């Protein structure tokens, strides 16, 4: 099997949902273009979700190019610009910027690989798009307490769910990082408890464990007896009539479903999602005097601008202020 076939095989295993079909535009450009295209998605982009999103965007552009009878080496900035303008008629500025970013990265990779002489997307400007406030729904203190108190901790599943939500809230953790945790990723050092979160790009992020999160984890570990199973998943799926824990990790989809179920039971809005607890923790931290710089550090954000999207500290209006409206 040659190197190109090896690359295609790897691509298929990495992205089975799309079957990694090479675009006609790339196939027509020859074997070196095929190999470089496959390498771009297998070796250059490590995050699975980013890979899928970029593959969709790039495939869509290349289908458009074929419709206009453009070959890979014939694509110029004016063509990319025309495509971006067309996208803006049907897609949001954020989506269009993501499409353009994918094209710029791919063409850069093809230029470095000497497949094409220049990047036709590098000079194309994307739409202006500034987001100062995120759309993730947040729970303020009263509703957050209501949700936690509504969880029946007389069962293993209840203890598990409360522990998961505690880690997500008090550590500003992404759901993907939480579901990847192993038992050994919760530990005590010099009387202080810590979490190790496995973030994007394979980065390990150590966060001190809040005492309430520690209590939830300790209760969960005590009742399950999995404390010594250090290399096994911390948060596990359940199965069978007794809903006993398995050795398999809980999926992010299962956590999302659990959150929807718990929110409904507590009578909270159905818009609540996994990211709600990250935003809830950040907002509460800032409301109580925390700094945006430290919040970014806890959340493993590279920029405080990202952290600010989760901040809803100024959204909560006290009822006494509303009652000042008098007629």
């Amino acid at each position: 099997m040659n190197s190109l076939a090896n690359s295609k095989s790897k691509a298929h295993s990495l992205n089975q949902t799309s079957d990694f079909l090479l675009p006609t535009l790339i196939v027509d450009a020859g074997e070196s273009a095929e190999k470089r295209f496959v390498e771009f998605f297998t070796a250059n982009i490590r995050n699975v979700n980013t890979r899928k999103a970029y593959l969709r965007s790039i495939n869509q552009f290349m289908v458009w190019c074929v419709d206009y009878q453009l070959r890979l080496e014939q694509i110029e900035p004016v063509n990319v610009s025309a495509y971006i303008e067309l996208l803006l008629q049907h897609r949001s500025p954020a989506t269009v910027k993501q499409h353009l970013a994918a094209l710029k990265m791919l063409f850069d990779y093809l230029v470095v690989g000497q497949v094409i002489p220049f990047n036709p997307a590098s000079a194309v400007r994307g739409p202006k798009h500034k987001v100062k406030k995120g759309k993730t729904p947040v729970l303020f203190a009263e509703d957050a307490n209501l949700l936690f108190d509504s969880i029946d901790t007389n069962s293993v599943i209840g203890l598990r769910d409360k522990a998961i939500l505690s880690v997500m809230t008090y550590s500003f953790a992404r759901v993907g990082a939480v579901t990847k945790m192993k038992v050994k990723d919760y530990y005590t050092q010099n009387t202080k408890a810590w979490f190790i979160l496995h973030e994007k790009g394979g980065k390990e992020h150590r966060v001190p464990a809040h005492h309430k999160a520690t209590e939830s984890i300790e209760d969960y570990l005590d009742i399950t007896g999995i404390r010594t199973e250090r290399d096994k998943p911390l948060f596990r799926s359940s199965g069978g009539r007794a809903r006993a824990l398995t050795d398999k990790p809980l999926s992010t989809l299962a956590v999302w479903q659990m959150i929807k179920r718990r929110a409904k039971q507590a009578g909270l809005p159905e818009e609540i999602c996994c990211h709600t607890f990250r935003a809830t923790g950040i907002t509460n931290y800032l409301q109580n005097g925390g700094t945006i710089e430290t919040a970014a550090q806890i959340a493993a954000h590279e920029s405080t601008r990202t952290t600010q999207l989760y901040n809803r500290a100024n959204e909560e209006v006290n009822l006494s202020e509303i009652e000042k409206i008098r007629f």
Side-chain angles (χ1 to χ4, degrees):
M1 183 180 288
N2 60 32
S3 59
L4 176 59
N6 271 319
S7 296
K8 288 181 178 179
S9 176
K10 183 178 179 184
H12 178 77
S13 65
L14 285 169
N15 202 343
Q16 292 181 354
T17 56
S18 64
D19 290 328
F20 210 87
L21 297 175
L22 289 170
T24 301
L25 200 72
I26 295 296
V27 173
D28 290 346
E31 185 172 319
S32 60
E34 291 184 30
K35 181 179 178 182
R36 195 68 178 170
F37 183 85
V38 173
E39 286 179 350
F40 174 72
F41 287 99
T42 58
N44 192 55
I45 300 179
R46 306 304 305 165
N47 184 273
V48 175
N49 293 328
T50 302
R51 184 184 301 126
K52 290 179 180 178
Y54 276 25
L55 185 59
R56 286 194 299 268
S57 300
I58 289 167
N59 278 338
Q60 183 174 322
F61 170 73
M62 292 197 168
V63 168
W64 180 84
C65 288
V66 170
D67 289 342
Y68 281 85
Q69 299 182 336
L70 288 170
R71 297 177 62 84
L72 183 63
E73 66 273 14
Q74 294 175 325
I75 300 173
E76 296 185 355
V78 65
N79 304 125
V80 179
S81 180
Y83 175 74
I84 293 302
E85 289 300 320
L86 178 65
L87 273 187
L88 279 170
Q89 298 177 19
H90 311 284
R91 303 292 184 87
S92 69
T95 300
V96 174
K97 284 177 73 72
Q98 183 263 312
H99 275 249
L100 183 58
L103 294 175
K104 287 183 176 181
M105 281 187 64
L106 172 66
F107 285 133
D108 270 343
Y109 202 76
L110 295 179
V111 170
V112 173
Q114 300 182 344
V115 174
I116 55 177
F118 68 96
N119 184 339
S122 62
V124 179
R125 297 182 63 180
K128 292 183 178 180
H129 176 65
K130 291 185 178 180
V131 179
K132 295 183 178 180
K133 185 182 296 183
K135 297 180 180 180
T136 304
V138 167
L139 296 175
F140 292 105
E142 184 177 350
D143 285 340
N145 287 329
L146 175 64
L147 178 60
F148 278 101
D149 291 343
S150 70
I151 299 175
D152 182 5
T153 53
N154 289 317
S155 68
V156 172
I157 302 303
L159 288 170
R160 180 201 65 187
D161 293 354
K162 186 173 183 179
I164 290 171
L165 298 183
S166 294
V167 175
M168 292 171 67
T169 304
Y170 292 107
S171 301
F172 310 168
R174 297 181 180 90
V175 62
V178 173
T179 56
K180 290 177 184 175
M181 291 180 73
K182 298 185 182 299
V183 174
K184 64 183 178 183
D185 291 328
Y186 166 73
Y187 67 98
T188 301
Q189 186 177 50
N190 298 328
T191 71
K192 183 184 291 186
W194 293 82
F195 295 129
I196 297 178
L197 302 173
H198 301 274
E199 299 287 354
K200 295 179 179 179
K203 297 178 182 178
E204 280 194 359
H205 179 50
R206 290 203 328 156
V207 182
H210 190 281
H211 73 276
K212 287 191 175 181
T214 300
E215 290 172 4
S216 295
I217 290 288
E218 288 290 338
D219 290 343
Y220 169 67
L221 291 176
D222 285 343
I223 198 69
T224 58
I226 65 173
R227 193 184 296 271
T228 59
E229 300 176 7
R230 293 175 47 77
D231 290 314
K232 291 186 177 181
L234 177 58
F235 299 117
R236 309 179 185 188
S237 61
S238 58
R241 292 183 179 180
R243 297 196 67 192
L245 295 184
T246 69
D247 286 337
K248 296 180 180 180
L250 201 64
S251 67
T252 54
L253 175 60
V255 174
W256 179 84
Q257 291 171 334
M258 176 271 287
I259 288 171
K260 292 294 185 182
R261 185 174 66 254
R262 296 294 183 185
K264 184 176 181 180
Q265 290 174 351
L268 295 173
E270 62 181 19
E271 290 79 14
I272 290 172
C273 60
C274 297
H275 251 39
T276 290
F277 299 90
R278 185 168 168 84
T280 294
I282 291 173
T283 296
N284 189 269
Y285 170 78
L286 295 173
Q287 283 179 320
N288 286 291
T291 65
I292 193 71
E293 291 78 14
T294 303
Q297 185 178 357
I298 298 171
H301 285 150
E302 293 184 1
S303 169
T304 55
R305 287 180 296 179
T306 303
T307 313
Q308 190 62 48
L309 296 177
Y310 292 87
N311 179 17
R312 306 292 194 281
N314 296 324
E315 287 188 3
E316 187 178 37
V317 179
N318 194 290
L319 179 60
S320 63
E321 295 299 314
I322 296 298
E323 292 299 332
K324 290 179 181 178
I325 304 171
R326 300 187 182 96
F327 291 98

